[in-house]
PDB file of all heavy atoms in Angstrom:
ATOM      1  N   SER B  58       5.713 -15.078   1.571  1.00 93.00           N
ATOM      2  CA  SER B  58       7.090 -14.825   1.164  1.00 93.00           C
ATOM      3  C   SER B  58       7.678 -13.541   1.739  1.00 93.00           C
ATOM      4  O   SER B  58       8.892 -13.381   1.789  1.00 93.00           O
ATOM      5  CB  SER B  58       7.173 -14.782  -0.366  1.00 93.00           C
ATOM      6  OG  SER B  58       6.377 -13.722  -0.878  1.00 93.00           O
ATOM      7  N   GLY B  59       6.832 -12.613   2.155  1.00 94.00           N
ATOM      8  CA  GLY B  59       7.330 -11.353   2.668  1.00 94.00           C
ATOM      9  C   GLY B  59       7.598 -11.321   4.158  1.00 94.00           C
ATOM     10  O   GLY B  59       8.154 -10.343   4.678  1.00 94.00           O
ATOM     11  N   LEU B  60       7.225 -12.377   4.864  1.00 97.00           N
ATOM     12  CA  LEU B  60       7.461 -12.393   6.314  1.00 97.00           C
ATOM     13  C   LEU B  60       8.963 -12.377   6.568  1.00 97.00           C
ATOM     14  O   LEU B  60       9.687 -13.235   6.047  1.00 97.00           O
ATOM     15  CB  LEU B  60       6.815 -13.625   6.947  1.00 97.00           C
ATOM     16  CG  LEU B  60       5.294 -13.681   6.861  1.00 97.00           C
ATOM     17  CD1 LEU B  60       4.768 -14.990   7.443  1.00 97.00           C
ATOM     18  CD2 LEU B  60       4.659 -12.491   7.566  1.00 97.00           C
ATOM     19  N   PRO B  61       9.462 -11.432   7.353  1.00 95.00           N
ATOM     20  CA  PRO B  61      10.916 -11.240   7.474  1.00 95.00           C
ATOM     21  C   PRO B  61      11.641 -12.321   8.267  1.00 95.00           C
ATOM     22  O   PRO B  61      12.848 -12.481   8.082  1.00 95.00           O
ATOM     23  CB  PRO B  61      11.042  -9.876   8.164  1.00 95.00           C
ATOM     24  CG  PRO B  61       9.742  -9.636   8.831  1.00 95.00           C
ATOM     25  CD  PRO B  61       8.709 -10.367   8.046  1.00 95.00           C
ATOM     26  N   SER B  62      10.948 -13.021   9.122  1.00 94.00           N
ATOM     27  CA  SER B  62      11.611 -14.081   9.883  1.00 94.00           C
ATOM     28  C   SER B  62      10.563 -15.040  10.416  1.00 94.00           C
ATOM     29  O   SER B  62       9.359 -14.786  10.305  1.00 94.00           O
ATOM     30  CB  SER B  62      12.417 -13.481  11.046  1.00 94.00           C
ATOM     31  OG  SER B  62      11.561 -13.138  12.117  1.00 94.00           O
ATOM     32  N   ASP B  63      11.019 -16.137  10.985  1.00 95.00           N
ATOM     33  CA  ASP B  63      10.070 -17.110  11.534  1.00 95.00           C
ATOM     34  C   ASP B  63       9.461 -16.627  12.845  1.00 95.00           C
ATOM     35  O   ASP B  63       8.674 -17.332  13.470  1.00 95.00           O
ATOM     36  CB  ASP B  63      10.733 -18.482  11.703  1.00 95.00           C
ATOM     37  CG  ASP B  63      11.958 -18.432  12.603  1.00 95.00           C
ATOM     38  OD1 ASP B  63      12.213 -17.377  13.221  1.00 95.00           O
ATOM     39  OD2 ASP B  63      12.665 -19.452  12.687  1.00 95.00           O
ATOM     40  N   ARG B  64       9.819 -15.415  13.267  1.00 97.00           N
ATOM     41  CA  ARG B  64       9.143 -14.856  14.442  1.00 97.00           C
ATOM     42  C   ARG B  64       7.772 -14.275  14.071  1.00 97.00           C
ATOM     43  O   ARG B  64       6.973 -13.963  14.953  1.00 97.00           O
ATOM     44  CB  ARG B  64      10.005 -13.751  15.061  1.00 97.00           C
ATOM     45  CG  ARG B  64      11.351 -14.227  15.607  1.00 97.00           C
ATOM     46  CD  ARG B  64      12.092 -13.105  16.323  1.00 97.00           C
ATOM     47  NE  ARG B  64      12.469 -12.029  15.415  1.00 97.00           N
ATOM     48  CZ  ARG B  64      11.849 -10.846  15.343  1.00 97.00           C
ATOM     49  NH1 ARG B  64      10.820 -10.595  16.150  1.00 97.00           N
ATOM     50  NH2 ARG B  64      12.266  -9.925  14.493  1.00 97.00           N
ATOM     51  N   PHE B  65       7.549 -14.117  12.784  1.00 98.00           N
ATOM     52  CA  PHE B  65       6.290 -13.551  12.290  1.00 98.00           C
ATOM     53  C   PHE B  65       5.362 -14.683  11.867  1.00 98.00           C
ATOM     54  O   PHE B  65       5.762 -15.575  11.108  1.00 98.00           O
ATOM     55  CB  PHE B  65       6.544 -12.633  11.099  1.00 98.00           C
ATOM     56  CG  PHE B  65       7.162 -11.310  11.461  1.00 98.00           C
ATOM     57  CD1 PHE B  65       8.476 -11.231  11.898  1.00 98.00           C
ATOM     58  CD2 PHE B  65       6.426 -10.137  11.360  1.00 98.00           C
ATOM     59  CE1 PHE B  65       9.052 -10.004  12.237  1.00 98.00           C
ATOM     60  CE2 PHE B  65       6.993  -8.911  11.686  1.00 98.00           C
ATOM     61  CZ  PHE B  65       8.305  -8.848  12.119  1.00 98.00           C
ATOM     62  N   PHE B  66       4.130 -14.582  12.334  1.00 97.00           N
ATOM     63  CA  PHE B  66       3.151 -15.623  12.041  1.00 97.00           C
ATOM     64  C   PHE B  66       1.790 -14.963  11.836  1.00 97.00           C
ATOM     65  O   PHE B  66       1.404 -14.070  12.586  1.00 97.00           O
ATOM     66  CB  PHE B  66       3.113 -16.614  13.204  1.00 97.00           C
ATOM     67  CG  PHE B  66       2.014 -17.620  13.134  1.00 97.00           C
ATOM     68  CD1 PHE B  66       2.109 -18.700  12.265  1.00 97.00           C
ATOM     69  CD2 PHE B  66       0.882 -17.498  13.927  1.00 97.00           C
ATOM     70  CE1 PHE B  66       1.099 -19.633  12.189  1.00 97.00           C
ATOM     71  CE2 PHE B  66      -0.136 -18.431  13.855  1.00 97.00           C
ATOM     72  CZ  PHE B  66      -0.024 -19.501  12.987  1.00 97.00           C
ATOM     73  N   ALA B  67       1.051 -15.383  10.824  1.00 98.00           N
ATOM     74  CA  ALA B  67      -0.266 -14.807  10.571  1.00 98.00           C
ATOM     75  C   ALA B  67      -1.282 -15.922  10.400  1.00 98.00           C
ATOM     76  O   ALA B  67      -0.947 -17.015   9.928  1.00 98.00           O
ATOM     77  CB  ALA B  67      -0.248 -13.918   9.336  1.00 98.00           C
ATOM     78  N   GLU B  68      -2.503 -15.629  10.779  1.00 97.00           N
ATOM     79  CA  GLU B  68      -3.569 -16.615  10.616  1.00 97.00           C
ATOM     80  C   GLU B  68      -4.884 -15.921  10.332  1.00 97.00           C
ATOM     81  O   GLU B  68      -5.072 -14.746  10.657  1.00 97.00           O
ATOM     82  CB  GLU B  68      -3.696 -17.488  11.871  1.00 97.00           C
ATOM     83  CG  GLU B  68      -3.994 -16.722  13.134  1.00 97.00           C
ATOM     84  CD  GLU B  68      -4.043 -17.618  14.366  1.00 97.00           C
ATOM     85  OE1 GLU B  68      -3.720 -18.815  14.260  1.00 97.00           O
ATOM     86  OE2 GLU B  68      -4.399 -17.112  15.442  1.00 97.00           O
ATOM     87  N   ARG B  69      -5.785 -16.707   9.740  1.00 97.00           N
ATOM     88  CA  ARG B  69      -7.127 -16.208   9.418  1.00 97.00           C
ATOM     89  C   ARG B  69      -8.057 -17.421   9.453  1.00 97.00           C
ATOM     90  O   ARG B  69      -8.575 -17.857   8.427  1.00 97.00           O
ATOM     91  CB  ARG B  69      -7.139 -15.549   8.026  1.00 97.00           C
ATOM     92  CG  ARG B  69      -8.376 -14.740   7.725  1.00 97.00           C
ATOM     93  CD  ARG B  69      -8.369 -14.248   6.276  1.00 97.00           C
ATOM     94  NE  ARG B  69      -9.502 -13.369   6.012  1.00 97.00           N
ATOM     95  CZ  ARG B  69      -9.928 -13.058   4.799  1.00 97.00           C
ATOM     96  NH1 ARG B  69      -9.304 -13.537   3.715  1.00 97.00           N
ATOM     97  NH2 ARG B  69     -10.959 -12.257   4.632  1.00 97.00           N
ATOM     98  N   PRO B  70      -8.250 -17.981  10.619  1.00 96.00           N
ATOM     99  CA  PRO B  70      -8.852 -19.317  10.752  1.00 96.00           C
ATOM    100  C   PRO B  70     -10.252 -19.480  10.190  1.00 96.00           C
ATOM    101  O   PRO B  70     -10.599 -20.577   9.745  1.00 96.00           O
ATOM    102  CB  PRO B  70      -8.822 -19.552  12.268  1.00 96.00           C
ATOM    103  CG  PRO B  70      -8.681 -18.197  12.879  1.00 96.00           C
ATOM    104  CD  PRO B  70      -7.903 -17.384  11.909  1.00 96.00           C
ATOM    105  N   GLU B  71     -11.060 -18.435  10.204  1.00 94.00           N
ATOM    106  CA  GLU B  71     -12.421 -18.569   9.705  1.00 94.00           C
ATOM    107  C   GLU B  71     -12.654 -17.749   8.441  1.00 94.00           C
ATOM    108  O   GLU B  71     -13.795 -17.533   8.033  1.00 94.00           O
ATOM    109  CB  GLU B  71     -13.415 -18.185  10.808  1.00 94.00           C
ATOM    110  CG  GLU B  71     -13.324 -19.114  12.019  1.00 94.00           C
ATOM    111  CD  GLU B  71     -14.285 -18.713  13.126  1.00 94.00           C
ATOM    112  OE1 GLU B  71     -14.978 -17.690  12.977  1.00 94.00           O
ATOM    113  OE2 GLU B  71     -14.320 -19.419  14.144  1.00 94.00           O
ATOM    114  N   GLY B  72     -11.582 -17.295   7.865  1.00 91.00           N
ATOM    115  CA  GLY B  72     -11.711 -16.572   6.609  1.00 91.00           C
ATOM    116  C   GLY B  72     -12.207 -15.145   6.740  1.00 91.00           C
ATOM    117  O   GLY B  72     -12.574 -14.538   5.727  1.00 91.00           O
ATOM    118  N   SER B  73     -12.210 -14.621   7.958  1.00 94.00           N
ATOM    119  CA  SER B  73     -12.607 -13.218   8.104  1.00 94.00           C
ATOM    120  C   SER B  73     -11.514 -12.479   8.879  1.00 94.00           C
ATOM    121  O   SER B  73     -10.553 -12.019   8.271  1.00 94.00           O
ATOM    122  CB  SER B  73     -13.963 -13.090   8.786  1.00 94.00           C
ATOM    123  OG  SER B  73     -13.973 -13.770  10.027  1.00 94.00           O
ATOM    124  N   VAL B  74     -11.618 -12.420  10.188  1.00 97.00           N
ATOM    125  CA  VAL B  74     -10.622 -11.723  11.007  1.00 97.00           C
ATOM    126  C   VAL B  74      -9.265 -12.396  10.866  1.00 97.00           C
ATOM    127  O   VAL B  74      -9.152 -13.622  10.782  1.00 97.00           O
ATOM    128  CB  VAL B  74     -11.062 -11.737  12.482  1.00 97.00           C
ATOM    129  CG1 VAL B  74      -9.952 -11.217  13.388  1.00 97.00           C
ATOM    130  CG2 VAL B  74     -12.337 -10.915  12.652  1.00 97.00           C
ATOM    131  N   SER B  75      -8.239 -11.568  10.837  1.00 98.00           N
ATOM    132  CA  SER B  75      -6.870 -12.084  10.754  1.00 98.00           C
ATOM    133  C   SER B  75      -6.039 -11.519  11.896  1.00 98.00           C
ATOM    134  O   SER B  75      -6.271 -10.397  12.363  1.00 98.00           O
ATOM    135  CB  SER B  75      -6.229 -11.691   9.424  1.00 98.00           C
ATOM    136  OG  SER B  75      -4.882 -12.136   9.349  1.00 98.00           O
ATOM    137  N   THR B  76      -5.079 -12.314  12.332  1.00 98.00           N
ATOM    138  CA  THR B  76      -4.161 -11.875  13.375  1.00 98.00           C
ATOM    139  C   THR B  76      -2.732 -12.050  12.900  1.00 98.00           C
ATOM    140  O   THR B  76      -2.370 -13.108  12.359  1.00 98.00           O
ATOM    141  CB  THR B  76      -4.366 -12.694  14.664  1.00 98.00           C
ATOM    142  OG1 THR B  76      -5.728 -12.587  15.081  1.00 98.00           O
ATOM    143  CG2 THR B  76      -3.462 -12.174  15.780  1.00 98.00           C
ATOM    144  N   LEU B  77      -1.944 -11.013  13.074  1.00 98.00           N
ATOM    145  CA  LEU B  77      -0.510 -11.072  12.805  1.00 98.00           C
ATOM    146  C   LEU B  77       0.198 -11.114  14.154  1.00 98.00           C
ATOM    147  O   LEU B  77       0.014 -10.233  14.987  1.00 98.00           O
ATOM    148  CB  LEU B  77      -0.045  -9.850  12.008  1.00 98.00           C
ATOM    149  CG  LEU B  77       1.458  -9.739  11.733  1.00 98.00           C
ATOM    150  CD1 LEU B  77       1.915 -10.856  10.790  1.00 98.00           C
ATOM    151  CD2 LEU B  77       1.795  -8.375  11.130  1.00 98.00           C
ATOM    152  N   LYS B  78       0.964 -12.156  14.363  1.00 98.00           N
ATOM    153  CA  LYS B  78       1.656 -12.326  15.634  1.00 98.00           C
ATOM    154  C   LYS B  78       3.154 -12.192  15.420  1.00 98.00           C
ATOM    155  O   LYS B  78       3.707 -12.741  14.460  1.00 98.00           O
ATOM    156  CB  LYS B  78       1.333 -13.686  16.248  1.00 98.00           C
ATOM    157  CG  LYS B  78      -0.150 -13.859  16.580  1.00 98.00           C
ATOM    158  CD  LYS B  78      -0.439 -15.232  17.161  1.00 98.00           C
ATOM    159  CE  LYS B  78      -1.929 -15.372  17.490  1.00 98.00           C
ATOM    160  NZ  LYS B  78      -2.265 -16.717  18.005  1.00 98.00           N
ATOM    161  N   ILE B  79       3.794 -11.456  16.296  1.00 98.00           N
ATOM    162  CA  ILE B  79       5.240 -11.320  16.259  1.00 98.00           C
ATOM    163  C   ILE B  79       5.778 -11.813  17.591  1.00 98.00           C
ATOM    164  O   ILE B  79       5.415 -11.292  18.653  1.00 98.00           O
ATOM    165  CB  ILE B  79       5.672  -9.857  16.017  1.00 98.00           C
ATOM    166  CG1 ILE B  79       4.952  -9.276  14.792  1.00 98.00           C
ATOM    167  CG2 ILE B  79       7.183  -9.780  15.829  1.00 98.00           C
ATOM    168  CD1 ILE B  79       5.205  -7.784  14.576  1.00 98.00           C
ATOM    169  N   GLN B  80       6.625 -12.807  17.525  1.00 98.00           N
ATOM    170  CA  GLN B  80       7.201 -13.369  18.746  1.00 98.00           C
ATOM    171  C   GLN B  80       8.560 -12.739  19.009  1.00 98.00           C
ATOM    172  O   GLN B  80       9.289 -12.361  18.085  1.00 98.00           O
ATOM    173  CB  GLN B  80       7.356 -14.882  18.588  1.00 98.00           C
ATOM    174  CG  GLN B  80       6.035 -15.614  18.407  1.00 98.00           C
ATOM    175  CD  GLN B  80       6.228 -17.105  18.169  1.00 98.00           C
ATOM    176  OE1 GLN B  80       7.188 -17.518  17.530  1.00 98.00           O
ATOM    177  NE2 GLN B  80       5.314 -17.907  18.663  1.00 98.00           N
ATOM    178  N   ARG B  81       8.882 -12.610  20.283  1.00 97.00           N
ATOM    179  CA  ARG B  81      10.212 -12.116  20.711  1.00 97.00           C
ATOM    180  C   ARG B  81      10.573 -10.864  19.917  1.00 97.00           C
ATOM    181  O   ARG B  81      11.580 -10.827  19.197  1.00 97.00           O
ATOM    182  CB  ARG B  81      11.259 -13.210  20.521  1.00 97.00           C
ATOM    183  CG  ARG B  81      10.917 -14.512  21.224  1.00 97.00           C
ATOM    184  CD  ARG B  81      11.995 -15.566  21.025  1.00 97.00           C
ATOM    185  NE  ARG B  81      12.270 -15.853  19.625  1.00 97.00           N
ATOM    186  CZ  ARG B  81      11.534 -16.625  18.852  1.00 97.00           C
ATOM    187  NH1 ARG B  81      10.440 -17.182  19.353  1.00 97.00           N
ATOM    188  NH2 ARG B  81      11.883 -16.836  17.598  1.00 97.00           N
ATOM    189  N   THR B  82       9.763  -9.835  20.052  1.00 97.00           N
ATOM    190  CA  THR B  82       9.928  -8.624  19.244  1.00 97.00           C
ATOM    191  C   THR B  82      11.321  -8.033  19.385  1.00 97.00           C
ATOM    192  O   THR B  82      11.951  -8.081  20.453  1.00 97.00           O
ATOM    193  CB  THR B  82       8.900  -7.555  19.632  1.00 97.00           C
ATOM    194  OG1 THR B  82       8.935  -7.359  21.052  1.00 97.00           O
ATOM    195  CG2 THR B  82       7.510  -7.960  19.197  1.00 97.00           C
TER     196      THR B  82
END
Side-chain angles (χ1 to χ4, degrees):
Chain B
S58 62
L60 296 176
S62 78
D63 58 8
R64 296 185 295 104
F65 286 70
F66 171 76
E68 59 183 7
R69 193 186 185 197
E71 297 179 357
S73 55
V74 171
S75 178
T76 303
L77 176 67
K78 297 179 180 178
I79 308 174
Q80 297 177 325
R81 305 181 303 281
T82 51

